[in-house]
Amino acid sequence: SVAERFGFSAPTLRKIRAAVTAEDWGAGPFLANYYSGLKESKVQAFERAAREIFGVRYAIGTSSGTGALHSAFVGVGVKPGTEVICAAVGFFATAAAVVQAGGVPVFCDVDASMSIDPKKISALVTPRTVAIATTCVMGSVPDMTAVMKVARRHKLKVVEDCAQSCGAQV
């Protein structure tokens, strides 16, 4: 049925059905490794590669970038009544994930990099602010040293949305 939705022709659909019917699927697809007996699932391989590439201790595969943002915002304490300072330019998923976690996005101007302007963050901090969400757009990278300095001064968490600039450096 998935192949049909892609509009494959009838002869191609017959070939797909024949291949699927002929193949021994064994125990079936494994969505998690804890019950599969596999040495490493595809998700675990992805997580391992991310840890190796970025030199980090932890990496968790999620269903999407938006899912990762939602998880991160819940993890840093975003809930009803809290605020997250977000860059005014970027994909809507960053602010949408704040809302999904129950918080309120507060938009901050951007600087010449098209990323959040660290000089404008402090003016937006209120007692309800729990985090700053930086967003990298089109290969840009925010001034994270300056952002982290502001975050430490105000005791805020930082969620870095680098989906559009994964691995980019200043």
Side-chain angles (χ1 to χ4, degrees):
S1 65
V2 173
E4 285 180 46
R5 294 197 51 119
F6 281 101
F8 287 108
S9 67
T12 300
L13 289 172
R14 282 193 292 278
K15 290 177 187 175
I16 292 170
R17 284 189 187 99
V20 170
T21 303
E23 184 66 34
D24 178 9
W25 288 45
F30 297 106
L31 304 177
N33 201 41
Y34 60 86
Y35 65 89
S36 72
L38 297 173
K39 181 179 176 186
E40 181 177 67
S41 69
K42 296 292 186 186
V43 173
Q44 287 172 321
F46 173 75
E47 293 168 342
R48 178 182 41 76
R51 288 191 306 272
E52 291 169 1
I53 290 167
F54 297 111
V56 295
R57 193 171 175 183
Y58 302 103
I60 300 172
T62 60
S63 62
S64 65
T66 305
L69 287 167
H70 178 242
S71 299
F73 288 130
V74 169
V76 301
V78 177
K79 57 188 175 190
T82 63
E83 297 175 348
V84 177
I85 299 172
C86 300
V89 173
F91 190 60
F92 79 97
T94 309
V98 171
V99 173
Q100 185 181 17
V104 176
V106 175
F107 295 102
C108 181
D109 285 338
V110 296
D111 59 18
S113 72
M114 296 303 290
S115 297
I116 198 165
D117 187 341
K119 296 178 195 127
K120 307 273 177 98
I121 296 171
S122 289
L124 300 172
V125 175
T126 73
R128 294 177 305 278
T129 307
V130 296
I132 301 166
T134 62
T135 304
C136 305
V137 293
M138 300 172 280
S140 71
V141 179
D143 182 349
M144 289 307 295
T145 301
V147 170
M148 294 306 293
K149 186 175 178 181
V150 173
R152 286 185 191 99
R153 184 176 342 121
H154 294 284
K155 297 181 172 78
L156 299 174
K157 304 289 186 188
V158 175
V159 173
E160 193 175 354
D161 177 359
C162 57
Q164 292 187 33
S165 303
C166 190
Q169 296 180 10
V170 175

